[in-house]
Amino acid sequence: MDTRQFEYVLAIADERYVFKAADKLCISQPTLSQFLSRLENDLGVPLFHHSRNGFVPTPEGEIFIEGARRIMRIKGEILDKIAPFADRKKNRLIVGLTPGRSAALFSFVMPQFSSEAPEIEVQILEAPIQNIDELTRNGYLDLSLVIINKDDDQLVFEIFNEEEILFAVAGNHPLAPPSGNGTDGITAEIDVRIFAKEKFLMSKKGYRLRALVDSYLEKLELRPAVLMEATEIPLTCNMIRRGLGVGFIPAGFARAYHDLHVFSTSPKLTWDFGVAYRKGTRITPAMRRFIDLAKEYSRKDLASGGSS
């Protein structure tokens, strides 16, 4: 069931910019631009016009977009209805995570899950959060273990735990305690403004961590110089550990980087970690058991101060 042309147009309509839509779809910007040009030529009408606010649908584009949304809803309904009969749903569980979270979690979950449900093949997909969200919405992913976005009304969320966002510096930073790295214990709250003259390593704009951090810095009236914007948190951690800058990282990543020192912020920054699945999804006993094991690991890890 190839609905890519509808998915591509909807991505442009939702993101307003081709480069953002291409990033969301995991394709190149030229590929998406060429697709749109070919589609408009085939239809004989423009679907968008370019303005200062990005790509704005034309009247013809609005008609196409409305129809595309109906088609995608119907596709979702069809997939849901045939899911109980599909081999993929019977014998395979596809789970999505953002990079850096899978190794420890699955080393805990998989032995127990495999012993209880040996007939289920589990496939893991690591991708940026925007891609994980989209693949969960369109039904490709059965489950995704993600930071909860309560504004997404197409997904159902179950919260596992609240995770703190920490401020990280290299272990040899002048403000890092000489006794050792901060992953053995978080230093008491620190005023991030004392780092105002340093280079910050940030998540890419549009990502949840970046939105949370930008809001926090705005309240502090702090506008630091940004050395780099990363799409993956492990890259940010590696840059910080090498002394190339400072930045914010989730507590779940801290213990994997023993040469970092981390501080709590004031007020504390937190977000919710848990599981997501598309609305209307039939949760099989195997899916429920997988969710329960992931929740058990996440809460044990939080209690022990480990990495999720």
Side-chain angles (χ1 to χ4, degrees):
M1 190 182 298
D2 190 352
T3 54
R4 280 179 295 177
Q5 65 176 348
F6 303 115
E7 294 170 20
Y8 287 6
V9 170
L10 290 176
I12 296 171
D14 292 341
E15 298 298 326
R16 294 286 183 171
Y17 294 94
V18 170
F19 76 92
K20 288 185 178 180
D23 188 47
K24 178 179 181 179
L25 295 165
C26 295
I27 62 175
S28 69
Q29 182 175 340
T31 297
L32 186 56
S33 296
Q34 291 166 14
F35 155 80
L36 179 60
S37 179
R38 287 196 303 269
L39 179 61
E40 290 179 327
N41 286 336
D42 290 344
L43 294 172
V45 294
L47 298 180
F48 298 92
H49 63 81
H50 200 186
S51 73
R52 288 182 299 175
N53 296 321
F55 279 69
V56 179
T58 62
E60 298 86 352
E62 293 285 6
I63 294 171
F64 189 98
I65 290 165
E66 180 184 353
R69 293 197 192 281
R70 287 202 303 270
I71 289 169
M72 295 308 296
R73 283 196 295 270
I74 292 170
K75 176 184 177 181
E77 291 169 2
I78 292 171
L79 292 175
D80 280 344
K81 288 178 180 178
I82 67 173
F85 308 100
D87 287 340
R88 184 179 76 83
K89 290 293 183 181
K90 287 182 180 178
N91 301 315
R92 186 181 303 167
L93 181 62
I94 306 179
V95 183
L97 299 96
T98 52
R101 289 199 181 263
S102 61
L105 189 151
F106 281 99
S107 65
F108 175 89
V109 170
M110 285 309 301
Q112 183 68 28
F113 183 79
S114 296
S115 69
E116 296 181 19
E119 75 283 2
I120 303 295
E121 174 193 353
V122 178
Q123 293 187 358
I124 307 304
L125 186 147
E126 284 190 314
I129 185 63
Q130 283 84 348
N131 300 335
I132 293 293
D133 285 347
E134 183 62 25
L135 291 170
T136 308
R137 290 189 204 102
N138 68 28
Y140 178 81
L141 292 176
D142 299 301
L143 303 171
S144 54
L145 300 173
V146 294
I147 299 305
I148 303 301
N149 177 13
K150 296 176 182 177
D151 295 328
D152 194 326
D153 60 4
Q154 298 181 53
L155 300 177
V156 176
F157 298 99
E158 297 183 27
I159 296 174
F160 291 174
N161 58 265
E162 183 179 71
E163 182 178 35
E164 186 176 0
I165 307 301
L166 304 171
F167 190 75
V169 301
N172 60 358
H173 190 281
L175 292 179
S179 57
N181 71 68
T183 57
D184 290 329
I186 300 169
T187 300
E189 295 173 351
I190 195 168
D191 187 343
V192 175
R193 286 173 291 192
I194 66 176
F195 298 92
K197 294 184 178 180
E198 302 210 26
K199 300 289 187 182
F200 275 55
L201 300 163
M202 304 281 273
S203 293
K204 187 177 178 181
K205 282 188 177 293
Y207 282 62
R208 286 174 203 162
L209 180 58
R210 180 61 180 270
L212 186 67
V213 169
D214 280 350
S215 176
Y216 174 77
L217 294 177
E218 184 178 352
K219 291 176 183 177
L220 295 180
E221 298 183 348
L222 181 60
R223 296 176 179 81
V226 177
L227 176 66
M228 183 194 72
E229 295 183 345
T231 58
E232 297 182 4
I233 294 170
L235 175 58
T236 301
C237 293
N238 278 312
M239 298 286 280
I240 295 173
R241 72 195 294 197
R242 294 175 183 175
L244 297 175
V246 297
F248 296 84
I249 64 171
F253 287 82
R255 284 189 179 272
Y257 297 89
H258 301 290
D259 42 5
L260 288 180
H261 188 88
V262 290
F263 303 87
S264 281
T265 61
S266 179
K268 283 188 177 182
L269 282 173
T270 62
W271 58 14
D272 293 323
F273 179 73
V275 67
Y277 44 87
R278 194 175 62 177
K279 275 188 176 178
T281 296
R282 173 178 168 266
I283 301 298
T284 65
M287 292 168 70
R288 174 51 57 193
R289 183 56 180 149
F290 190 95
I291 291 171
D292 289 343
L293 286 169
K295 183 186 298 184
E296 180 184 347
Y297 166 79
S298 184
R299 291 181 174 176
K300 280 184 177 179
D301 187 63
L302 178 68
S304 65
S307 60
S308 58

